[in-house]
Amino acid sequence: GAALPVKHGAPLRLRIERQLAYKIAGTTPVHIDENPMPAIIGTGFHLHVQHMIERLDPRRYLVETKVEYKGIPGTVDLYDRRRRTVIDWKSTSKAKLRRLRTHGPPMRAQVQIQIYGAALKALGEDPARLALAYVPRDGSLEDLWVWSTTPDQALVDRWIFRFESIADPLAAGSGPGDHPALPGPLCSYCPFFLPTSTDLSRGCPGPNL
């Protein structure tokens, strides 16, 4: 797939601003996914691909590489030096894959792969393509779908500015609950979702706000 157009001058809106504030603050998750199977399958796929690629040319491929860009840590699943391509594996379902093909990846995934590209460039690499490879858990490798784009430093800079606008107040003493939340149907997937919460330092009540 091709990249969807992004307005380079537009502000980066975050539906997950409060969730990000909890993560930056180091808040202990209060909501445990009752169905861990998708995460288990996704982790297993990452390990399988890692073991396969590690047998190949180590000068060409970087696998599961820890990076950090301006205070934001991450792990690059795969970087192909010959093709100058960063690849991030995403496990999903065939139903969700159909929506992704139509609407493209969520902004958070696009920002994530952009930051990985910027981090690798800061380490002396020269990425030219960034790819999100979606593998359906309930399908086959023939159903794999790849969305790709090119490095966009302007998008990275806007994200870093947004990140710092959350991190700096937290460092100065504000709490995660001081940051706005936009409740939606995905609240139940948030590790900080606490439906009965009256203490926003512990968790967010989501739609019950």
Side-chain angles (χ1 to χ4, degrees):
L4 300 180
V6 176
K7 295 181 180 179
H8 291 270
L12 187 61
R13 297 183 65 235
L14 289 180
R15 188 173 189 89
I16 59 168
E17 182 165 322
R18 181 175 292 174
Q19 183 189 89
L20 183 59
Y22 281 119
K23 291 181 178 179
I24 295 172
T27 306
T28 301
V30 292
H31 178 66
I32 306 301
D33 190 350
E34 295 180 355
N35 179 22
M37 190 56 69
I40 292 172
I41 293 174
T43 300
F45 178 83
H46 273 76
L47 289 172
H48 179 73
V49 173
Q50 177 184 354
H51 293 159
M52 288 180 59
I53 296 177
E54 283 179 339
R55 301 192 189 107
L56 305 177
D57 185 355
R59 293 171 297 180
R60 174 174 175 176
Y61 298 106
L62 297 179
V63 186
E64 296 295 326
T65 304
K66 300 292 184 183
V67 296
E68 183 173 317
Y69 186 75
K70 296 190 176 181
I72 301 179
T75 302
V76 177
D77 292 342
L78 177 63
Y79 178 57
D80 183 340
R81 282 173 163 149
R82 183 180 301 172
R83 294 183 178 273
R84 297 169 59 200
T85 300
V86 184
I87 299 173
D88 192 51
W89 303 108
K90 301 288 188 186
S91 62
T92 185
S93 66
K94 291 179 72 174
K96 187 174 181 180
L97 190 55
R98 287 190 289 270
R99 296 195 295 272
L100 288 166
R101 287 178 181 272
T102 300
H103 302 292
M107 178 55 71
R108 74 175 91 179
Q110 296 184 41
V111 170
Q112 179 187 43
I113 194 73
Q114 288 286 352
I115 289 178
Y116 288 167
L120 286 172
K121 186 173 182 179
L123 291 174
E125 303 293 341
D126 188 26
R129 299 293 299 177
L130 312 171
L132 298 171
Y134 287 90
V135 183
R137 296 181 294 269
D138 52 349
S140 67
L141 285 178
E142 293 180 352
D143 299 312
L144 182 147
W145 179 68
V146 178
W147 177 92
S148 66
T149 188
T150 55
D152 184 346
Q153 187 61 42
L155 178 60
V156 173
D157 291 342
R158 292 205 312 281
W159 164 261
I160 296 297
F161 175 80
R162 198 72 192 93
F163 173 84
E164 291 174 344
S165 74
I166 298 172
D168 290 349
L170 288 172
S174 75
D178 296 323
H179 294 267
L182 293 173
L186 298 181
C187 279
S188 60
Y189 293 96
C190 176
F192 308 103
F193 177 51
L194 191 61
T196 59
S197 177
T198 57
D199 181 359
L200 294 181
S201 68
R202 292 188 58 241
C204 177
N208 298 324
L209 282 171

